[in-house]
């Protein structure tokens, strides 16, 4: 079976995928912790999307994994686009979830510059709690918000600033038409981080691309509607 690699987003970590455990029924699932975040919060942060992509590819090579399905969420969606640019022959199927083709996010709940300034003023813990609340339709009242915020709070200020810098300086628009793997875009219609036009560009530009819009969800579909999210992913990966 071809393994599925999950790449989390900004201030995320492998623990955020606990409700995706059923995906392992179809084969190995590899949950990445990016440097500076999650279980790798002690590693030096990386400040470029390309640098993150190189790190993930090297990590997978160290595990002996050279062929895989790839799912990236949010900033992780940018990272997996760069992985596709670097090593397309390794990627069987690609899932771009709650993400877009550019790092400067038009329509984001606040600009990246504002997030950088507020992170320095408020500190990493307050920033983690504040930003992770925007990922849910119900904000801090969402059932899975506390666990998600706890993962985000593991991020240091240096990691937060590096991640924001990485997104700010990245664009993958010129590589979309060259994506050769069958691709699925997943987007929650209440996403306040990545507005519809960004998901639409992915869907309309990538040659072999399908779209799943999940109503009543924000940026954390996999936590707000985990059973539906898992069914969508499983169905796509089974279309072999």
């Amino acid at each position: 079976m071809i393994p599925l690699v999950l790449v989390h987003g900004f201030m995320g970590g492998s623990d955020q995928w606990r409700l995706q455990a059923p995906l392992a029924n179809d084969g190995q699932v590899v949950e990445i912790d990016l440097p500076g975040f999650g279980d790798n919060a002690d590693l030096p942060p990386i400040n470029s999307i390309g640098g993150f992509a190189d790190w993930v590819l090297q990590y997978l090579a160290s595990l002996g994994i050279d062929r895989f399905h790839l799912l990236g969420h949010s900033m992780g969606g940018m990272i997996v686009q760069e992985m596709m640019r670097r090593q397309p022959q390794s990627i069987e199927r690609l899932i771009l979830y709650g993400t877009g083709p550019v790092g400067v996010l038009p329509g984001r709940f606040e600009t990246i510059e504002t997030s950088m300034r507020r992170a320095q003023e408020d500190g990493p813990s307050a920033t983690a709690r504040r930003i992770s609340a925007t990922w849910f339709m119900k904000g801090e009242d969402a059932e899975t918000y506390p666990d998600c915020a706890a993962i985000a709070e593991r991020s240091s200020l240096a990691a937060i600033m590096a991640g924001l810098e990485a997104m700010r300086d990245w664009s993958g628009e010129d590589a979309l038409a060259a994506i050769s793997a069958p691709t699925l875009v997943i987007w929650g219609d209440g996403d306040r981080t990545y507005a519809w036009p960004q998901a639409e560009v992915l869907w309309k530009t990538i040659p072999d691309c399908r779209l799943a819009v999940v109503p009543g969800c924000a940026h954390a579909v996999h936590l707000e509607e985990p059973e539906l999210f898992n069914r969508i992913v499983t169905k796509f990966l089974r279309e072999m």
Side-chain angles (χ1 to χ4, degrees):
M1 299 293 291
I2 299 172
L4 170 63
V5 177
L6 305 179
V7 182
H8 67 77
F10 179 59
M11 292 194 300
S14 61
D15 288 345
Q16 76 177 48
W17 303 112
R18 60 183 178 83
L19 298 181
Q20 277 61 64
L23 295 178
N25 293 335
D26 276 23
Q28 180 186 9
V29 175
V30 180
E31 300 164 346
I32 302 295
D33 283 285
L34 297 169
F37 302 102
D39 290 343
N40 281 333
D42 58 326
L43 296 183
I46 295 173
N47 66 350
S48 72
I49 298 300
F52 279 121
D54 290 336
W55 186 91
V56 176
L57 287 169
Q58 291 168 10
Y59 176 72
L60 294 175
S62 74
L63 298 178
I65 297 174
D66 58 6
R67 187 76 177 169
F68 46 87
H69 301 304
L70 187 58
L71 183 156
H73 177 224
S74 194
M75 184 180 79
M78 304 176 189
I79 294 167
V80 301
Q81 289 175 62
E82 282 297 314
M83 291 171 66
M84 173 62 73
R85 189 199 297 255
R86 285 158 161 73
Q87 205 164 299
Q89 72 279 4
S90 293
I91 300 166
E92 186 74 22
R93 290 194 166 230
L94 180 66
I95 301 174
L96 302 176
Y97 158 42
T99 192
V102 293
V104 175
L105 312 173
R108 186 175 186 257
F109 62 91
E110 66 187 20
T111 66
I112 286 181
E113 288 74 14
T114 297
S115 290
M116 296 177 86
R117 175 180 56 78
R118 293 194 65 180
Q120 291 176 314
E121 293 174 351
D122 301 341
S125 292
T127 297
R129 292 192 299 272
R130 180 179 66 83
I131 291 182
S132 56
T134 70
W135 301 340
F136 298 88
M137 291 293 285
K138 295 182 180 180
E140 294 183 4
D141 293 329
E143 181 180 353
T144 51
Y145 165 77
D147 290 342
C148 193
I151 296 168
E153 283 188 277
R154 300 178 68 176
S155 311
S156 67
L157 179 59
I160 290 172
M161 297 300 288
L164 290 168
E165 181 181 346
M167 290 188 285
R168 182 195 65 192
D169 296 340
W170 178 81
S171 173
E173 285 183 292
D174 61 349
L176 294 179
I179 291 178
S180 56
T183 301
L184 172 66
V185 172
I186 302 176
W187 182 72
D189 69 354
D191 196 328
R192 294 187 289 277
T193 304
Y194 293 83
W196 163 244
Q198 296 179 69
E200 183 180 26
V201 168
L202 296 175
W203 173 45
K204 290 186 174 180
T205 309
I206 297 170
D208 183 3
C209 188
R210 273 145 277 190
L211 172 69
V213 175
V214 183
C217 290
H219 192 51
V221 178
H222 69 295
L223 297 175
E224 293 179 295
E225 290 288 349
E227 292 183 7
L228 178 56
F229 179 89
N230 294 344
R231 287 201 303 270
I232 290 170
V233 170
T234 298
K235 181 177 184 296
F236 175 66
L237 296 182
R238 287 179 178 175
E239 294 173 356
M240 300 290 290

